[in-house]
Amino acid sequence: MEQRRFSTTGSRSRQRTWTIIGELIDVHLDAKIFVAGHRGLVGSALVRSLRMNGFQNLILRTKSELDLTNQSQTEDFFAAEKPSYVFLAAAKVGGILANNEYPGDFVAQNLQIQTNIIESARKSNADRLLFLGSSCIYPKFASQPIKEESLLTGPLEPTNRPYAVAKIAGIEMCWSYNRQYKTGFLAAMPTNLYGPGDNYDLETSHVIPALIRKMHEAKINNSSVATIWGTGSPRREFLYSDDLADACLFLMNLDKRRFDSLVANDQTPPLINIGCGSDHSIRELAVQIAEVVGFRGKLTFDTTKPDGTPRKLLDVTRLTSLGWQAKTTLSQGLKQAYQEFLMDSQPLLSGELAHRIG
């Protein structure tokens, strides 16, 4: 199938020329783009990046306007709107506590959302689709850094297995559709994310927003100690959400030859890792966040709580070989995240830290 590189029929005045690996391509700014999950951490970053780059024909729907777990609603939406490009960032997400409490919801709702969108995108002849997953799809004890080829080579981390299995099914669905229907559906697996629009609920948040809120509450309450789940020894890679959005636009704007090299291979799944290529221990992360927040008390680690996977660092060779690299350092990102937290947060209630190291 002939792929359009973010282009649609329109006047030359609505085009922008981008440079990708030395090649010039014309990008039409009036391409019809659907961002599923536009209010979440990833989706909101995608919308910011798209608008910053001049794309204005964005199709956005809240959950109350469109229930993506509902097959008929999703099919009717795609039939009416017919987006050319789809960013599938909608998902049910959460930390260790939420995954343990609601495993059925995590597997069922994610399967429903991605199946409805992928099938509807195929039926409406979308040119390209980018399915956003998570690095938790890889085995718990995968060799580090984790290559895309590590998929399905070992057992998953039990604490988020239902979510991971759903995302693996989405990758297989993209691959199967590409083979059978000649679609252009690519699965991108980001590392641990943080940034504007993050979730700071202590029961459902991921590690960075949970630690930011935990340190902030400890500071304003003049606490002498902040307690963190686990031993602090697991190592994680962290990517600022705006960098992820930049990588997603980069991938969707690849020229046909490079894009097809990712999606049109019968032997390997259409899968690419997105990360920064370096990691930090949770203890190191906690120290950095305490410094950014201004908490001067003692950090203690509750070793009765689970650690999750010992280390998770993605191999991003496939992405960097195409010409993309992350721009935001962890230090810069944490400072920006804390400032955004201060601007956006409501009065906080004290609570026990329950986060996913992921």
Side-chain angles (χ1 to χ4, degrees):
M1 183 179 70
E2 178 68 17
Q3 301 290 343
R4 295 180 298 172
R5 295 182 295 280
F6 260 147
S7 62
T8 184
T9 54
S11 67
R12 296 291 295 184
S13 63
R14 294 288 295 160
Q15 293 178 343
R16 169 172 295 174
T17 301
W18 287 33
T19 303
I20 294 183
I21 317 298
E23 298 183 27
L24 293 178
I25 63 173
D26 285 328
V27 180
H28 289 264
L29 300 180
D30 54 0
K32 206 167 191 180
I33 303 167
F34 174 45
V35 181
H38 74 282
R39 286 186 168 179
L41 173 65
V42 175
S44 61
L46 285 167
V47 170
R48 285 194 302 275
S49 185
L50 285 163
R51 286 176 171 162
M52 183 175 64
N53 283 287
F55 296 98
Q56 296 300 324
N57 196 4
L58 307 184
I59 310 169
L60 309 174
R61 296 290 186 276
T62 64
K63 187 175 181 179
S64 62
E65 294 170 328
L66 174 62
D67 181 2
L68 293 169
T69 66
N70 184 296
Q71 181 180 0
S72 61
Q73 283 190 34
T74 308
E75 289 181 345
D76 290 348
F77 165 78
F78 271 84
E81 295 292 346
K82 297 187 182 303
S84 295
Y85 302 94
V86 178
F87 291 91
L88 205 177
K92 180 175 178 60
V93 298
I96 284 178
L97 182 61
N99 275 267
N100 283 338
E101 291 287 330
Y102 310 107
D105 291 347
F106 273 85
V107 67
Q109 291 182 29
N110 282 298
L111 285 172
Q112 290 167 342
I113 291 168
Q114 63 202 37
T115 299
N116 291 340
I117 292 177
I118 292 170
E119 171 65 358
S120 297
R122 178 194 71 81
K123 287 182 176 179
S124 64
N125 298 312
D127 289 304
R128 292 183 180 182
L129 177 145
L130 188 66
F131 170 61
L132 276 300
S134 164
S135 58
C136 70
I137 63 162
Y138 294 115
K140 179 174 182 176
F141 298 108
S143 297
Q144 304 290 321
I146 307 172
K147 297 179 179 293
E148 288 87 352
E149 291 82 1
S150 298
L151 182 67
L152 297 177
T153 59
L156 300 167
E157 160 59 41
T159 57
N160 52 30
R161 185 175 57 241
Y163 176 80
V165 168
K167 291 300 180 179
I168 291 170
I171 297 168
E172 182 61 42
M173 194 170 182
C174 289
W175 193 14
S176 298
Y177 274 43
N178 291 346
R179 298 201 308 273
Q180 180 174 347
Y181 301 113
K182 310 305 177 188
T183 49
F185 297 170
L186 176 63
M189 298 300 117
T191 189
N192 298 282
L193 301 170
Y194 68 103
D198 218 334
N199 169 27
Y200 289 92
D201 184 321
L202 291 179
E203 291 192 349
T204 58
S205 60
H206 290 217
V207 60
I208 285 182
L211 288 176
I212 286 176
R213 176 170 171 179
K214 185 73 174 181
M215 302 293 181
H216 176 78
E217 289 190 344
K219 183 182 76 169
I220 63 175
N221 291 328
N222 295 316
S223 299
S224 60
V225 176
T227 303
I228 301 160
W229 269 30
T231 64
S233 62
R235 299 188 67 84
R236 293 292 180 270
E237 176 185 19
F238 299 102
L239 184 70
Y240 195 62
S241 59
D242 286 352
D243 280 359
L244 170 64
D246 184 66
C248 291
L249 266 66
F250 173 85
L251 290 168
M252 288 287 258
N253 273 297
L254 284 174
D255 60 273
K256 183 180 187 304
R257 179 177 62 83
R258 286 186 170 85
F259 191 80
D260 283 354
S261 73
L262 298 174
V263 302
N265 191 324
D266 289 346
Q267 304 304 312
T268 58
L271 176 62
I272 190 164
N273 291 336
I274 302 179
C276 63
S278 62
D279 62 358
H280 304 265
S281 74
I282 299 304
R283 183 180 297 274
E284 292 167 348
L285 174 69
V287 170
Q288 283 201 52
I289 291 177
E291 183 177 344
V292 167
V293 171
F295 173 66
R296 306 304 180 198
K298 180 181 179 182
L299 303 180
T300 63
F301 292 83
D302 184 353
T303 58
T304 67
K305 304 300 184 183
D307 269 341
T309 305
R311 189 187 186 199
K312 193 158 59 177
L313 173 66
L314 294 182
D315 186 313
V316 291
T317 302
R318 186 171 294 179
L319 179 58
T320 56
S321 68
L322 293 169
W324 186 89
Q325 288 186 321
K327 301 176 181 65
T328 308
T329 67
L330 181 61
S331 177
Q332 292 169 338
L334 291 177
K335 291 175 183 176
Q336 292 170 204
Y338 184 52
Q339 290 305 311
E340 288 148 358
F341 168 79
L342 292 176
M343 290 188 293
D344 298 339
S345 63
Q346 298 296 318
L348 299 173
L349 298 174
S350 295
E352 181 184 7
L353 176 61
H355 65 270
R356 170 153 75 102
I357 291 175

